[in-house]
Amino acid sequence: MTEALPASPEWHIHVVDDDAAFRRSLVFLLESMGWAVQAHASAADYLAHGLPALDETGCLLLDVRMPGMSGLELQQTLIARGCRLPIVFLTGHGDVELAVQAMKHGAFDFLEKPFKDQRLLDIVSAALRQREVELASRERADQASARLARLSPRETEVARLVAQGLPNKLVARALDISEKTVHIHRQHVMEKADVGSAAELARLMLQADPAALD
Amino acid sequence: MWLGVRVATLIALLCGVGLPAWGQDKPAVRIGVLAYLGADAAVEEWTPVATQLRRALPDRSVELLSLDHAALNKAAQSGQVDFVITNPGHYVELEARVRASRILTLQTGAALPTSAWQAVGAAVITLAGNPQVQHLADLRGQRVAIVGKEAFSGYQAVWRELAAEGIDPERDLRALHLVGLPMDRVLEAVASGAADAGFVRACMVESRPEWRARFRVVAPRAEPDFACATSTRVYPNWPIATLPHTDSALARAVTIALLEMRADSSPITWTVPADYQSVHDLQRELMIGPYANLRVPTLTALVQRYWPWLAGLLGLIVLGGFYTLHVERQVQARTAALRQAAREREELQARLRQSREQAEHMARLSVLGELSGTLAHELNQPLAAIGNYAQSLLRRIDNQRLTPEAAREAASEMAGQAERAAGVLGRIRAFAKKRVAQRRPTDPVALVQESVALFRGMQVHAPAVDVVDELRAGTMLTVDALQIQQVLLNLLKNGWDATRHLPPERQLLTVRLHQDAGGVHIAVRDRGDALSSEQQLHLFEPFFTTKTDGLGLGLSICRSIAEAHGGRLDAATAQDGPGLQLTLTLPHDDRSTTGLS
């Protein structure tokens, strides 16, 4: 069991459900937990407020079955626009198929109606925490990318091989340049990226891009 | 044979009637005599009378006609004879029958002298050696010979004595042989043993030679002034009588002439007419002759007299009975057959009804099954909402953040949602319940609107449904609302299935209500792709479906529901633009006051 996060005015929890009564009850419950909630009657209604900011905190509670654009379709739209807000799907009885589909597309979790308030609390808290972690890691990656962005293309090539742990001699052979030139590039890389060792360089590159060393 | 008859007739004419008158212009005096001993004997017996009259009435011819009972009756009635000479019994009968009137009574018989008043008796004779018949009562069970039943002394006189003994000759004798005239045949029958006894005129047997050696008179009585052996009372002698048409002068002349006959010169003499009261007594007692109408007809007598009619009647009754029985049996058989047929038809109808109800029920369940996902969704929503409110309240109490306003809001929402859930359940139950049809006056517009609401409630992405009401205000239908609702749901679902894959503007469904002389029409129209004519042809057949998951029962059941209401269900391609229009037509409500003007 996860502890509920303390309420924060920066977190926005969005509820999208066509059933007004259920929507109101969900808002009422989330407010009981001290969270700020914004309710929307449909996907269109939600999108009418504009796409959420890329660094927006919070999460999305989405009914899978809705007239007009369904929950799944909204999920697709958001993914296409690069929005990575965690989505918790709300499903009715017998909608497991839809829930599985949603999970494949990267949904954070799903809740089958009716649900225990504690489970809602746990899932929403986890989603919020994940969003927080994600935003933090994205910020670190951004900083790392900014530092690596200072390197010239050749220096980037050298940096990648060094980060993989290759000695200068093998780097020179791989790039078909002299060992001395590799040495000069390596010094520039260390200076520009502000790292002191090959290991530090590797961590920085992975922060910027988890697939950088593949 | 034919020639023989002709010759016999001619001889009879020549000898019997015509001959004595022929060649003479004298008017005839015709005297009919009863021939109890035979025609020849009679003529011979009465010849002295004829002789006397010829002498006394020289200007007249005299004819003696010897006749039996029936012929004498006929001759007297038709006027063929002027006088009749007959036995006392027959005379009394003729008195009544043709108003015969006696003028003289025979004084002396042919053989033995007797008194005119005590002259006729009867003897019951048997063989001299026969000891069995000693008294008249001994005649019971014996065979008796008589000349005929009309014979006075030969039968009726004895009958009277037997009746006094309680014997009915017709019933109590073993046999009554009618031997016919002459009376000698009776003697012959007794002599030959063909009969145990015989009835003959008294004095007759005495005139036969050596009669005592052969015959014996049974129970002879002593009668004053009567010389012969008689077994009966004695009666006045034979009379000569006039008839109504007899000329009175002639009667007088004849009377005088006959009174002049003397015993010394003639075997026959006449005297003043005797009193025939004793003969009347006899006939009254025996209820014969003029007293025959006294006879209370016994059943036996009636049967004997009318047996052909009775037999015919009985036959008819029996036939009628058979016919009645036959008809009755046929009626029973037919009735049984009818009852059987009616019972079978009822059973068949019950089975049909049952199977139709089952099919409807199945169709409802299948529709329900298709809709169960959405129904569960329908039910889940209010339940989830109630759960949320309840948990919120607990949480707020724990947090000590529960305001009265929040509690009120939550509680009223929960109550509302509980009601909503109950409503959903109620609809499902009403829809799925097996039920007997109940027809009630129903507002068709309300019914359509309710069905549309229900249909939309069951669908996730319900299409828009336009309801166009063109009915006269207050139009009512007497229908089973649930069945019609089922039809409408099916039609809406069909329309929706045909268009759900199409762009939104083609998903619109229209329900139009209108009326004409043919009834109230509820037309459900979609804007889907056209059906092939082949598909349209089979649209209402059971198990025909264009859907991958359909049973194909919906429309066929809808049509049977429509027909059960006296209506129909028709499919037609829409007039304006794409789509199919299914029209449910229901007859006007008879009780509804709003008709067509």
Side-chain angles (χ1 to χ4, degrees):
Chain A
M1 188 182 287
T2 323
E3 276 305 306
L5 292 182
S8 160
E10 288 165 32
W11 293 329
H12 292 95
I13 298 174
H14 294 271
V15 171
V16 183
D17 197 311
D18 62 314
D19 189 309
F22 178 77
R23 199 167 63 235
R24 286 200 300 276
S25 75
L26 190 54
V27 169
F28 193 85
L29 179 57
L30 290 167
E31 283 174 353
S32 308
M33 297 168 175
W35 282 315
V37 186
Q38 277 186 291
H40 310 277
S42 66
D45 189 7
Y46 172 72
L47 291 174
H49 291 84
L51 280 175
L54 290 180
D55 60 349
E56 187 176 309
T57 56
C59 68
L60 201 51
L61 299 181
L62 207 49
D63 187 11
V64 278
R65 279 178 184 265
M66 283 186 294
M69 186 184 284
S70 72
L72 283 178
E73 286 164 345
L74 180 56
Q75 181 190 29
Q76 293 299 308
T77 306
L78 292 178
I79 289 168
R81 310 262 175 104
C83 175
R84 305 294 301 274
L85 268 181
I87 299 175
V88 175
F89 277 99
L90 303 174
T91 71
H93 173 79
D95 287 335
V96 181
E97 202 64 33
L98 291 172
V100 168
Q101 240 178 300
M103 292 302 286
K104 277 184 185 166
H105 289 107
F108 180 77
D109 210 338
F110 69 92
L111 270 171
E112 194 176 353
K113 290 190 246 182
F115 42 74
K116 287 260 183 202
D117 61 341
Q118 188 58 51
R119 181 142 167 70
L120 174 72
L121 190 63
D122 292 346
I123 288 178
V124 170
S125 297
L128 290 175
R129 189 172 295 114
Q130 192 218 37
R131 180 60 174 166
E132 196 182 33
V133 168
E134 191 185 297
L135 284 178
S137 73
R138 182 179 294 169
E139 199 181 328
R140 277 197 302 278
D142 288 349
Q143 284 168 6
S145 298
R147 279 152 74 182
L148 292 171
R150 298 171 198 152
L151 304 182
S152 70
R154 180 57 93 182
E155 285 168 352
T156 302
E157 279 179 334
V158 171
R160 190 169 158 267
L161 295 173
V162 169
Q164 285 176 340
L166 296 184
N168 286 357
K169 191 176 169 185
L170 290 182
V171 174
R173 190 178 299 169
L175 294 176
D176 198 20
I177 51 176
S178 71
E179 202 174 336
K180 195 176 175 182
T181 310
V182 170
H183 184 73
I184 293 164
H185 282 313
R186 183 181 181 132
Q187 278 190 323
H188 286 165
V189 168
M190 294 298 184
E191 283 168 16
K192 284 183 180 173
D194 192 19
V195 291
S197 66
E200 234 176 299
L201 176 64
R203 199 184 313 127
L204 183 68
M205 289 185 76
L206 283 176
Q207 275 178 354
D209 178 6
L213 303 183
D214 291 348
Chain B
M1 181 77 151
W2 180 83
L3 187 66
V5 171
R6 287 289 289 268
V7 171
T9 311
L10 187 62
I11 290 171
L13 277 172
L14 290 175
C15 305
V17 183
L19 189 62
W22 269 7
Q24 304 171 22
D25 297 318
K26 293 188 274 185
V29 176
R30 285 163 301 197
I31 301 167
V33 295
L34 180 69
Y36 75 100
L37 289 175
D40 296 342
V43 170
E44 187 186 337
E45 183 179 3
W46 298 106
T47 297
V49 170
T51 308
Q52 168 66 9
L53 288 179
R54 282 188 193 112
R55 189 185 312 133
L57 305 169
D59 54 344
R60 285 179 181 264
S61 68
V62 176
E63 299 165 22
L64 282 178
L65 303 179
S66 172
L67 304 165
D68 65 10
H69 274 93
L72 191 53
N73 283 342
K74 205 173 160 191
Q77 208 156 7
S78 65
Q80 278 175 18
V81 293
D82 303 307
F83 299 90
V84 291
I85 298 173
T86 186
N87 72 37
H90 190 214
Y91 162 68
V92 168
E93 206 178 317
L94 287 176
E95 266 186 353
R97 197 188 283 262
V98 294
R99 285 187 291 122
S101 175
R102 64 189 185 273
I103 49 174
L104 294 167
T105 296
L106 193 65
Q107 174 77 23
T108 45
L112 297 167
T114 54
S115 151
W117 284 264
Q118 297 286 325
V120 176
V124 176
I125 56 158
T126 184
L127 281 179
N130 182 357
Q132 289 185 343
V133 185
Q134 296 297 334
H135 308 284
L136 292 182
D138 295 336
L139 288 173
R140 279 182 208 272
Q142 303 292 328
R143 296 165 298 158
V144 173
I146 60 172
V147 289
K149 288 181 184 175
E150 309 84 9
F152 178 73
S153 50
Y155 180 62
Q156 292 170 354
V158 185
W159 182 6
R160 186 184 189 189
E161 306 308 328
L162 288 177
E165 297 269 347
I167 296 171
D168 180 349
E170 305 264 5
R171 185 189 68 204
D172 296 326
L173 301 183
R174 185 163 135 215
L176 200 55
H177 295 302
L178 307 182
V179 296
L181 291 169
M183 209 171 252
D184 282 289
R185 289 187 185 171
V186 174
L187 299 179
E188 286 163 17
V190 174
S192 71
D196 300 312
F199 300 168
V200 294
R201 183 183 173 183
C203 302
M204 181 203 161
V205 73
E206 281 91 339
S207 68
R208 298 297 180 271
E210 294 172 14
W211 70 276
R212 286 187 189 282
R214 296 158 61 202
F215 302 111
R216 175 166 60 83
V217 173
V218 177
R221 303 164 64 117
E223 291 289 337
D225 302 328
F226 193 72
C228 307
T230 176
S231 306
T232 70
R233 277 165 275 198
V234 292
Y235 298 91
N237 213 335
W238 287 38
I240 179 167
T242 59
L243 292 164
H245 58 268
T246 309
D247 178 54
S248 59
L250 175 64
R252 191 166 160 271
V254 166
T255 304
I256 292 168
L258 292 184
L259 278 174
E260 283 173 352
M261 293 174 79
R262 297 284 170 198
D264 49 0
S265 60
S266 163
I268 292 173
T269 60
W270 298 88
T271 185
V272 293
D275 177 8
Y276 287 86
Q277 187 57 44
S278 58
V279 181
H280 278 278
D281 292 344
L282 175 148
Q283 295 199 336
R284 193 183 302 111
E285 274 181 42
L286 297 181
M287 290 179 285
I288 57 175
Y291 303 99
N293 56 354
L294 291 179
R295 186 180 285 265
V296 176
T298 63
L299 192 60
T300 322
L302 279 178
V303 169
Q304 278 174 346
R305 181 161 174 196
Y306 295 112
W307 74 265
W309 295 102
L310 280 174
L313 192 66
L314 205 65
L316 280 178
I317 290 172
V318 168
L319 280 177
F322 274 122
Y323 182 69
T324 308
L325 268 179
H326 176 68
V327 166
E328 182 65 24
R329 196 174 299 137
Q330 278 210 331
V331 164
Q332 278 180 357
R334 296 268 164 82
T335 308
L338 272 177
R339 283 214 192 92
Q340 177 69 18
R343 205 160 38 235
E344 280 170 7
R345 199 182 54 212
E346 267 169 30
E347 277 170 15
L348 188 68
Q349 280 176 344
R351 273 207 302 278
L352 277 176
R353 199 161 49 236
Q354 203 176 3
S355 67
R356 196 171 60 217
E357 277 169 12
Q358 270 175 357
E360 285 174 18
H361 182 61
M362 213 169 86
R364 268 197 294 276
L365 288 183
S366 94
V367 170
L368 203 63
E370 289 172 34
L371 298 173
S372 66
T374 49
L375 285 172
H377 180 77
E378 280 259 305
L379 209 50
N380 240 352
Q381 296 293 97
L383 287 178
I386 289 167
N388 287 347
Y389 280 117
Q391 291 169 133
S392 303
L393 286 175
L394 289 172
R395 196 163 284 277
R396 287 183 189 211
I397 288 167
D398 292 347
N399 294 348
Q400 297 181 343
R401 287 171 52 193
L402 181 64
T403 62
E405 291 74 28
R408 163 167 285 279
E409 182 193 343
S412 72
E413 286 276 2
M414 288 163 76
Q417 291 307 298
E419 215 167 283
R420 175 181 166 191
V424 172
L425 274 181
R427 286 208 312 270
I428 296 171
R429 202 165 39 227
F431 189 73
K433 205 163 88 180
K434 218 171 182 171
R435 49 186 286 283
V436 180
Q438 292 173 330
R439 293 191 186 169
R440 297 212 174 87
T442 308
D443 176 4
V445 181
L447 185 56
V448 166
Q449 278 163 350
E450 198 180 310
S451 305
V452 168
L454 187 57
F455 164 70
R456 287 177 56 80
M458 285 171 167
Q459 304 299 323
V460 183
H461 306 291
V465 180
D466 275 353
V467 176
V468 182
D469 172 18
E470 296 172 3
L471 291 179
R472 192 177 308 281
T475 301
M476 297 291 277
L477 293 173
T478 298
V479 295
D480 186 316
L482 266 181
Q483 287 189 338
I484 299 303
Q485 189 174 70
Q486 191 196 340
V487 172
L488 293 173
L489 281 177
N490 262 287
L491 300 185
L492 288 167
K493 189 164 183 304
N494 268 309
W496 175 227
D497 288 342
T499 56
R500 66 200 310 167
H501 59 282
L502 296 170
E505 69 273 12
R506 286 188 65 186
Q507 292 181 358
L508 174 69
L509 299 176
T510 308
V511 183
R512 178 167 161 255
L513 296 103
H514 59 110
Q515 66 196 143
D516 59 21
V520 171
H521 307 283
I522 304 174
V524 178
R525 185 250 164 111
D526 64 48
R527 286 161 181 77
D529 297 326
L531 284 181
S532 72
S533 54
E534 165 86 10
Q535 285 173 329
Q536 217 162 330
L537 208 60
H538 297 291
L539 204 55
F540 295 104
E541 285 176 11
F543 304 109
F544 172 82
T545 181
T546 57
K547 300 171 207 165
T548 49
D549 58 346
L551 261 181
L553 280 174
L555 283 181
S556 88
I557 288 165
C558 287
R559 174 165 271 188
S560 71
I561 290 175
E563 283 165 358
H565 281 80
R568 56 177 205 277
L569 182 63
D570 303 298
T573 310
Q575 304 270 313
D576 51 337
L580 188 69
Q581 176 163 295
L582 285 156
T583 305
L584 172 65
T585 302
L586 294 167
H588 284 296
D589 191 345
D590 294 338
R591 281 169 291 180
S592 163
T593 49
T594 56
L596 283 177
S597 52

